[in-house]
Amino acid sequence: METSFDLNGRVALVTGASSGIGRATAEALAASGARVAINFHRNRAGAEAARAEIVGRGGTAIAVQADVTRAGEVQSLVEQTNAELGPVDILVNNAGSLVERLRILELTEERWDEVIDLNLKSAFLCCKAVAGSMMERRAGAIINVSSIAGRNGGALGSIHYSAAKGGLITFTKGLSKELAPFGVRVNAVSPGVIDTPYHEQFSSPEMMKTYAGMIPLGRVGTPAEVGQVICFLASDAAGYLVGETIEINGGMLMD
Ligand code: NAI
């Protein structure tokens, strides 16, 4: 994958990078010269395949298992990355999922907490684990992967997910105000409908057809198209972007 951004010498950590947007982002960051830690939870094979792809192209990557909803595991993830690659310069909080489409009467407290933890608390934990070192070194870029659902409430059955993704946009703004004075930029991307395993699980073929009809570009996006924008946000080319959320949706939602 070709990219236009120079990330040589940087260390990147991408959560949930064994598939979809996370994997494409890890590959794009590596293609830009970064050494990459590929975090995975259960899909070790996907993470190993991503690592092999990067190494096969001459890059440097490690695969590290951690459940990013657990503070202790996040701490170990960052420590292992630090030990094997060096301190994290670029953090991409990508891990996330809708888990299950449920409307309010079926949505349990447990499921609510699980989805908020996975899509929102995980970003807090990962940011907290790298922020001190970034502030000390007065450098760093954090990119949170939100969603169009965080803007418009999402398709039916996603109030838990859309609330978490909306929270992530506000979290991005708030944290960027804390960290910008230390030279650390925090931004987000808000993908629309991207062709990943997410939709195999949560969207029927009919829904995908309907989505495509709602997109001015006439097609859903690719994970690589999200990875490229994340590389841009990670790079010095985005040096004056702070607290921003970039829509990547083919024109599906503009505001
Ligand atoms: P995906 O299902 O391929 O990726 C999600 C990744 O998160 C998986 O690799 C999964 O293993 C990982 N993960 C789940 N729980 C985890 C945990 N506890 N700890 C560590 N990793 C964990 O789907 P996709 O689409 O690539 O999703 C990536 C991100 O993009 C998610 O945050 C999703 O909400 C977001 N997104 C996706 C859109 C789409 O249309 N595909 C649209 C908007 C946002």
Side-chain angles (χ1 to χ4, degrees), residues 2-21:
E2 289 296 311
T3 83
S4 327
F5 307 107
D6 180 8
L7 300 176
N8 272 300
R10 314 260 171 104
V11 172
L13 166 58
V14 185
T15 67
S18 59
S19 59
I21 292 169

Side-chain angles (χ1 to χ4, degrees), residues 15-22 39-43 66-69 93-98 118-119 145-149 161 165 190-199 201 223:
T15 67
S18 59
S19 59
I21 292 169
N39 159 248
F40 68 98
H41 184 208
R42 297 207 169 91
N43 184 2
D67 176 349
V68 291
T69 66
N93 288 310
N94 165 78
S97 175
L98 172 58
L118 176 55
N119 293 280
V145 179
S146 180
S147 168
I148 192 170
Y161 177 74
K165 293 298 194 184
S190 170
V193 184
I194 310 298
D195 186 15
T196 72
Y198 174 100
H199 289 288
Q201 213 180 341

Side-chain angles (χ1 to χ4, degrees), residues 49-60:
R51 196 188 65 80
E53 175 81 30
I54 290 171
V55 172
R57 289 170 189 238
T60 303

Side-chain angles (χ1 to χ4, degrees), residues 45-252:
E48 284 301 336
R51 196 188 65 80
E53 175 81 30
I54 290 171
V55 172
R57 289 170 189 238
T60 303
I62 57 171
V64 188
Q65 183 171 31
D67 176 349
V68 291
T69 66
R70 296 177 177 273
E73 295 191 30
V74 168
Q75 202 51 46
S76 310
L77 167 65
V78 170
E79 278 166 17
Q80 193 177 332
T81 304
N82 198 14
E84 293 188 35
L85 300 180
V88 176
D89 301 298
I90 299 162
L91 167 67
V92 182
N93 288 310
N94 165 78
S97 175
L98 172 58
V99 182
E100 190 180 6
R101 273 195 200 283
L102 293 166
R103 301 200 190 186
I104 191 158
L105 297 185
E106 294 97 45
L107 181 55
T108 61
E109 184 180 352
E110 289 71 28
R111 195 59 110 194
W112 171 272
D113 286 346
E114 180 187 350
V115 170
I116 299 288
D117 284 0
L118 176 55
N119 293 280
L120 184 57
K121 186 174 112 177
S122 62
F124 157 65
L125 293 176
C126 292
C127 288
K128 191 174 163 73
V130 301
S133 159
M134 286 183 174
M135 288 160 84
E136 253 172 53
R137 290 179 290 130
R138 301 196 75 82
I142 297 174
I143 298 100
N144 297 318
V145 179
S146 180
S147 168
I148 192 170
R151 297 284 203 193
N152 68 6
L156 285 173
S158 61
I159 53 173
H160 44 352
Y161 177 74
S162 57
K165 293 298 194 184
L168 201 49
I169 293 172
T170 323
F171 171 79
T172 299
K173 292 179 184 170
L175 185 62
S176 72
K177 290 180 191 171
E178 283 189 32
L179 299 189
F182 296 89
V184 180
R185 294 180 302 102
V186 186
N187 289 289
V189 294
S190 170
V193 184
I194 310 298
D195 186 15
T196 72
Y198 174 100
H199 289 288
E200 286 161 25
Q201 213 180 341
F202 302 117
S203 309
S204 62
E206 294 73 45
M207 283 171 86
M208 291 303 274
K209 225 186 241 170
T210 309
Y211 288 146
M214 295 159 70
I215 299 170
L217 269 185
R219 63 172 179 85
V220 302
T222 67
E225 287 172 320
V226 180
Q228 293 282 346
V229 179
I230 293 175
C231 271
F232 161 65
L233 285 172
S235 76
D236 296 345
Y240 205 55
L241 259 72
V242 169
E244 186 58 64
T245 298
I246 299 186
E247 310 291 336
I248 313 171
N249 61 31
M252 193 179 192

